[in-house]
Amino acid sequence: LKRLEREFFRRNTVEVAKDLIGCRLVRRSPEGEAYAVIIETEAYRGQDDPASHAHRGVTPRNRIMFGEAGYLYVYFSYGMHNCMNIVTEGEGMPGAVLLRAAVPVAGKEWFGGNRPKSPAKLWMNGPGKLTQAFAIGLSFNGLDLADPGQKECYIAAGSSLPFQATPRIGISKGTELLWRFVAEAPVLLPN
DNA sequence: GCGAGGATTAACT
DNA sequence: GTTAATCCTCGCT
């Protein structure tokens, strides 16, 4: 499990979102390193993207999106869910990739404990569920995934998967952009 | 201060 | 297919 470096994230957001499909999201757990293969992402790029939190300029919440790449942007949504994004682009250019779904590989007991009473197929097949399974809360906002000394959470390279591009989910503006990327080959899900 | 709405989910019918 | 849950953030008064 080799941590992806900052240069991977310091690129065009849409490219990063595509390249993240098939990569692994790694999290320290009491049982060791738990990880899952990322199968769904969305790109939110620039101040011109009407669906992005960065669209109206810098606010206390979204300022991390305007900063250095490789940091986590976590926000609270719908009164009950957290969503996790990885900051992209260079400083001053806001961008982030929303992680929407993954397939658990290692640390399944821990994931299952974080998603009680939920079958494995539904552990992390949505952005809110993903953060729940990985125990990622608002306190992770601003975490540097590219810091080699930071062991809580990082992204590791994987094998590339075929994917397709679709409109992003749950937004009302910017639907003409095909900036959601989903692994198409039904990746084998655990039972 | 206050009110509206949200990059959603789960449990209904 | 429909809807309640639930609270942070932002923009406006």
Side-chain angles (χ1 to χ4, degrees):
Chain A
L1 291 176
K2 182 170 165 52
R3 181 190 305 254
L4 291 182
E5 298 173 358
R6 197 172 313 286
E7 293 308 316
F8 176 89
F9 305 106
R10 194 188 283 149
R11 295 184 294 139
N12 181 295
T13 308
V14 177
E15 296 306 311
V16 176
K18 291 177 185 172
D19 291 348
L20 279 172
I21 301 291
C23 287
R24 289 175 281 204
L25 176 60
V26 189
R27 179 85 165 84
R28 191 181 72 179
S29 87
E31 303 164 15
E33 286 198 320
Y35 67 88
V37 174
I38 297 167
I39 58 166
E40 185 179 341
T41 62
E42 283 179 5
Y44 289 87
R45 178 170 195 266
Q47 264 188 270
D48 294 337
D49 178 356
S52 172
H53 287 174
H55 182 231
R56 293 170 197 270
V58 184
T59 68
R61 178 177 66 168
N62 69 17
R63 67 186 160 77
I64 189 76
M65 285 183 74
F66 288 77
E68 178 62 280
Y71 284 74
L72 267 188
Y73 169 46
V74 183
Y75 66 90
F76 188 72
S77 186
Y78 289 103
M80 26 179 22
H81 303 293
N82 294 121
C83 292
M84 66 185 298
N85 304 249
I86 306 175
V87 176
T88 55
E89 308 284 344
E91 288 203 44
M93 171 60 145
V97 174
L98 171 66
L99 301 184
R100 292 187 55 90
V103 178
V105 177
K108 293 183 184 178
E109 282 195 25
W110 184 67
F111 287 135
N114 292 337
R115 300 272 303 128
K117 297 176 188 168
S118 189
K121 283 181 181 175
L122 306 182
W123 279 352
M124 46 184 79
N125 65 335
K129 303 176 200 179
L130 184 70
T131 54
Q132 203 183 333
F134 276 83
I136 299 288
L138 283 180
S139 64
F140 284 71
N141 189 42
L143 186 74
D144 185 5
L145 300 183
D147 172 5
Q150 185 277 111
K151 304 291 187 191
E152 286 298 320
C153 186
Y154 63 94
I155 301 289
S159 47
S160 69
L161 296 174
F163 63 87
Q164 75 182 85
T166 79
R168 292 168 291 180
I169 301 292
I171 58 171
S172 50
K173 296 175 183 174
T175 51
E176 74 283 358
L177 297 169
L178 303 183
W179 282 1
R180 171 175 175 253
F181 305 103
V182 203
E184 50 182 31
V187 184
L188 218 55
L189 290 170
N191 297 306

